[in-house]
Amino acid sequence: MKQVICMRHDLKMRRGKQIAQGAHASMAFLCDKLREKGSVSLDDFSEVEQIWLSEAFAKVCCRIDSEEELLAIHDQAVEAGLAVHLITDIGRTEFHGQPTRTCLAIGPDLAEKIDKITGHLQLL
């Protein structure tokens, strides 16, 4: 089980900005459950999600080279039935005030399901 975070490398974000955006993407999985349910317990998660949350909590960060590639990965993951969280930065500290899609998180789910979508990507 793992979660894969795909980060746009073409934006040349500062390292701290990349880390913050990746954290937003990873946390979106939990935030969506909280918004949906109001409060959550482990019973609100699938068996795979429960194992991921209570054990390894594995995350892999991969490089994406354009917004088009980011959106293509997003669409493939959605089509495969995976949980996907696309992050759009509002542009307050970078990107000249323009909302900018920076990264996405896929999963958590079984590694073999996610690898069909992201296995070809370079590690960040």
Side-chain angles (χ1 to χ4, degrees):
M1 268 126 303
K2 67 180 176 181
Q3 184 180 60
V4 173
I5 299 167
C6 301
M7 183 72 58
R8 281 185 61 190
H9 197 259
D10 62 307
L11 294 173
K12 309 265 189 261
M13 288 180 275
R14 294 173 289 116
R15 181 67 66 198
K17 183 70 167 182
Q18 284 184 329
I19 293 167
Q21 295 299 294
H24 291 324
S26 183
M27 291 295 298
F29 154 71
L30 293 171
C31 291
D32 282 358
K33 287 281 189 194
L34 283 169
R35 276 192 285 273
E36 179 185 311
K37 304 271 186 185
S39 67
V40 293
S41 71
L42 275 180
D43 293 335
D44 294 316
F45 297 93
S46 72
E47 182 180 353
V48 170
E49 292 168 341
Q50 288 179 31
I51 293 168
W52 184 78
L53 285 166
S54 62
E55 291 181 10
F57 217 57
K59 293 175 202 68
V60 176
C61 297
C62 296
R63 170 186 171 142
I64 298 285
D65 291 319
S66 68
E67 182 177 27
E68 292 77 22
E69 186 179 12
L70 183 75
L71 295 175
I73 295 289
H74 173 274
D75 293 348
Q76 290 172 32
V78 168
E79 192 173 305
L82 296 166
V84 186
H85 299 90
L86 180 63
I87 302 302
T88 302
D89 185 75
I90 61 172
R92 212 178 275 146
T93 60
E94 293 189 27
F95 314 125
H96 310 290
Q98 295 297 311
T100 303
R101 293 179 180 123
T102 57
C103 64
L104 60 78
I106 302 173
D109 213 313
L110 296 172
E112 55 268 16
K113 290 171 71 175
I114 297 174
D115 287 347
K116 288 179 183 175
I117 310 297
T118 64
H120 68 284
L121 298 173
Q122 290 180 344
L123 296 177
L124 186 62

